[in-house]
Amino acid sequence: MAKPTTRQELVNYCLRQLGAPVLEINVADEQIDDLVDDALQYFNERHYDGVERMYLKYKVTQNDIDRGKADSPGGPGIVTTTGTSSIVGAATTFNFYESSNYIQVPDSVIGIERIFKFDTSSISGGMFSIKYQLFLNDLYYFNSVELLQYSMVKSYLEDIDFLLTTDKQIRFNKRQNRLYLDIDWSSQAKDTFFVIDCYRALDPTEFSKVYNDSFLKKYLTSLIKRQWGQNLIKFNGVKLPGGIELNGRQIYDDAERELSDIKERMSMEYELPPLDFIG
C-alpha cells in the first residue's frame, strides 16, 4: 500500500522499496520490529511533525506542597545522599539533602518550555493594577491616546514586571520524566493549577498519518537496508547457485551513506530550531 496507515503496512512498504518480493530481504521480523521502534523514537524526538505542542494543567496537592517545602532531615520527600572520605586519618561522613520538589510527568512528554507565570503583581494583576487603570482611563475612547505611546508604556511596564516577578525556574530531563519546580512552595495554595507549556510525542496508533510521513518511510527503509547488509557481511564473497555473489558490505555502506544524508536533511529541514539564550 502506497500510503501506509498501520505499523505492518509501513514495514511492507519499506521491504518493497528494497526489492521484496522479487528479492529476499534477509532481516528477521524481530530485527524489523526493533528498527521500527528506533525510527519512531528518532521521528518523535527530532522531527517537527513528530510532536504536538500542548498546554497541560496540573492540580497542586497538599502532598506536593509538603514535599516541596521540606527542609530538614526526615521531612517528607527529603532524600539523603552520603559520601565518606578519610581526612587526616579519620573517616569523615558528608550528608547531602535533596528535596523532592518535582512532578512526575507523562512519558509522552519529551520537552517542556516553561511554566506559565501566575501574575499577581500590582502592575498587571487585579482590577486596581496599573495596566487595567491605564486601559480604563486612557483608552476608553480610541482616539484619546497615541498607539505608539501606549505601546511604549506597555513595554516599560513589562520590563518592570519582568524584574519584579520573574518566571518560575524549572528543570526537566526526558529520561527521568520529572519536572523540578524551583519555587517557593510555601506560597503555593492547595488545588491551584500549574499550566505547563510542553511538547508531546504523537502516538502513531492514534494518529495513523505518522506511518505515511515521507521522512519516516525513507529513514526506516535505510535502517532495514543497513541491517540487511550487516546480516550479510559475514557471507561476503560467497557464491550462490547460478553465479550470484553476495555483497553485504556494499549494501551496508550504501545504507550508511543514505542514513548520513537523511540525518543531515533532518538537521537542516525537519528539526525544530534551537532556542537562543540571551544574557
Side-chain angles (χ1 to χ4, degrees):
M1 187 174 182
K3 295 182 178 181
T5 58
T6 65
R7 184 184 180 98
Q8 188 57 49
E9 288 178 359
L10 174 62
V11 171
N12 294 339
Y13 172 88
C14 295
L15 293 177
R16 289 196 301 271
Q17 294 298 305
L18 295 175
V22 178
L23 301 177
E24 181 181 357
I25 311 302
N26 306 103
V27 182
D29 292 339
E30 294 82 0
Q31 291 176 317
I32 292 179
D33 286 339
D34 293 339
L35 294 176
V36 173
D37 292 336
D38 292 343
L40 288 174
Q41 180 181 358
Y42 188 78
F43 178 74
N44 288 139
E45 293 182 352
R46 303 292 296 274
H47 200 291
Y48 61 78
D49 278 338
V51 295
E52 58 178 342
R53 190 168 186 175
M54 295 296 298
Y55 298 100
L56 301 179
K57 295 189 296 183
Y58 177 78
K59 190 175 183 179
V60 178
T61 65
Q62 187 61 46
N63 185 35
D64 295 328
I65 298 175
D66 294 339
R67 287 187 295 104
K69 67 180 184 179
D71 58 0
S72 59
I78 293 295
V79 179
T80 303
T81 303
T82 302
T84 59
S85 179
S86 178
I87 301 178
V88 197
T92 305
T93 301
F94 304 90
N95 294 324
F96 300 90
Y97 306 102
E98 177 185 358
S99 176
S100 301
N101 57 328
Y102 64 85
I103 298 172
Q104 197 76 23
V105 301
D107 185 64
S108 58
V109 175
I110 66 173
I112 295 179
E113 289 287 332
R114 56 177 174 168
I115 299 293
F116 280 106
K117 179 174 59 178
F118 294 93
D119 205 342
T120 59
S121 66
S122 60
I123 293 178
S124 57
M127 188 175 170
F128 299 99
S129 65
I130 298 177
K131 290 182 180 179
Y132 183 85
Q133 294 298 321
L134 176 66
F135 187 87
L136 180 65
N137 296 321
D138 294 339
L139 292 184
Y140 185 80
Y141 298 103
F142 287 106
N143 294 328
S144 62
V145 66
E146 293 289 340
L147 292 180
L148 177 59
Q149 178 186 357
Y150 177 72
S151 177
M152 293 176 64
V153 172
K154 288 276 290 184
S155 299
Y156 179 70
L157 293 176
E158 289 294 336
D159 291 339
I160 297 177
D161 197 22
F162 176 77
L163 295 175
L164 298 180
T165 56
T166 57
D167 291 336
K168 292 178 173 61
Q169 299 300 310
I170 63 173
R171 292 172 286 135
F172 175 74
N173 188 297
K174 172 65 180 74
R175 306 310 170 194
Q176 290 180 309
N177 292 330
R178 293 179 177 181
L179 172 61
Y180 285 88
L181 299 172
D182 300 320
I183 60 177
D184 182 11
W185 281 95
S186 60
S187 64
Q188 305 303 314
K190 178 184 175 183
D191 296 336
T192 57
F193 284 89
F194 290 131
V195 180
I196 304 172
D197 181 6
C198 63
Y199 288 94
R200 183 170 63 184
L202 290 181
D203 185 1
T205 59
E206 182 178 357
F207 305 99
S208 59
K209 287 186 178 180
V210 170
Y211 292 119
N212 192 40
D213 185 84
S214 59
F215 173 85
L216 181 62
K217 291 189 291 187
K218 291 179 181 178
Y219 184 64
L220 180 58
T221 300
S222 297
L223 286 179
I224 297 176
K225 183 177 182 179
R226 183 177 65 178
Q227 186 63 58
W228 183 20
Q230 180 69 43
N231 293 345
L232 294 179
I233 280 180
K234 63 180 180 180
F235 300 113
N236 196 32
V238 176
K239 292 185 178 296
L240 300 178
I244 300 176
E245 182 176 339
L246 297 176
N247 193 347
R249 172 59 65 181
Q250 184 64 43
I251 297 176
Y252 181 86
D253 291 342
D254 290 346
E256 279 288 348
R257 284 193 293 270
E258 292 174 5
L259 287 172
S260 178
D261 293 339
I262 291 173
K263 290 182 177 180
E264 183 177 355
R265 288 194 61 192
M266 165 63 76
S267 300
M268 299 296 294
E269 301 178 14
Y270 300 115
E271 191 173 19
L272 288 173
L275 296 177
D276 295 329
F277 289 93
I278 301 177

